[in-house]
Amino acid sequence: MALYSDKVMDHFRNPRNVGVIENADGIGEVGNAKCGDIMKIYLKIDNDIISDVKFETFGCGSAIASSSMATELIKGKPLSEALTLTNQAVTEALDGLPAHKIHCSVLAEEAIRNAVKDYYDKNGIDYDPDMFKNCNCHHEHDVQE
Ligand code: FES
């Protein structure tokens, strides 16, 4: 079997929603200290719905494919759904990633959550801080190569 699925290759070669949203309602940026890759997510939010989303990823192919797929999964969805998006869901939608590349999909999950938090903070919207304790997969942040 090829190392990367057709979907990963497709989203890597042809990423969706790349770019910047001027005057975004929420911006989330995360980096992985070990590999040095950085992902930035921009959200446009109308009535709690993500009406537009764009990303910039300075990172590996799996990080680009994960960001692309993650933006597709949350576009047009309510914020509550974006907050429950897990890196596992992104990985499954990509038909899998090699084990040592799972941490790349974690960046997408975290960048989206940070962007939603940024939106809440900027608008003085109350939330339970526990929602943003980041993901539960810190061990996967370690790059194993
Ligand atoms: Fe760093 Fe993929 S995000 S290697």
Side-chain angles (χ1 to χ4, degrees), residues 67-131:
S67 339
S68 170
M69 180 54 88
T71 57
E72 290 276 273
L73 291 173
I74 64 167
K75 201 170 185 175
K77 300 280 166 56
L79 285 180
S80 55
E81 244 178 82
L83 284 171
T84 58
L85 181 76
T86 60
N87 78 298
Q88 287 93 334
V90 174
T91 309
E92 272 166 30
L94 287 169
D95 291 339
L97 282 170
H100 67 285
K101 287 287 174 183
I102 294 292
H103 75 274
C104 316
S105 63
V106 174
L107 277 186
E109 173 189 322
E110 292 191 342
I112 289 170
R113 293 166 75 82
N114 282 357
V116 174
K117 182 174 182 300
D118 182 50
Y119 167 72
Y120 285 159
D121 287 340
K122 279 183 180 149
N123 290 278
I125 297 169
D126 275 342
Y127 56 83
D128 174 1
D130 280 357
M131 287 195 315

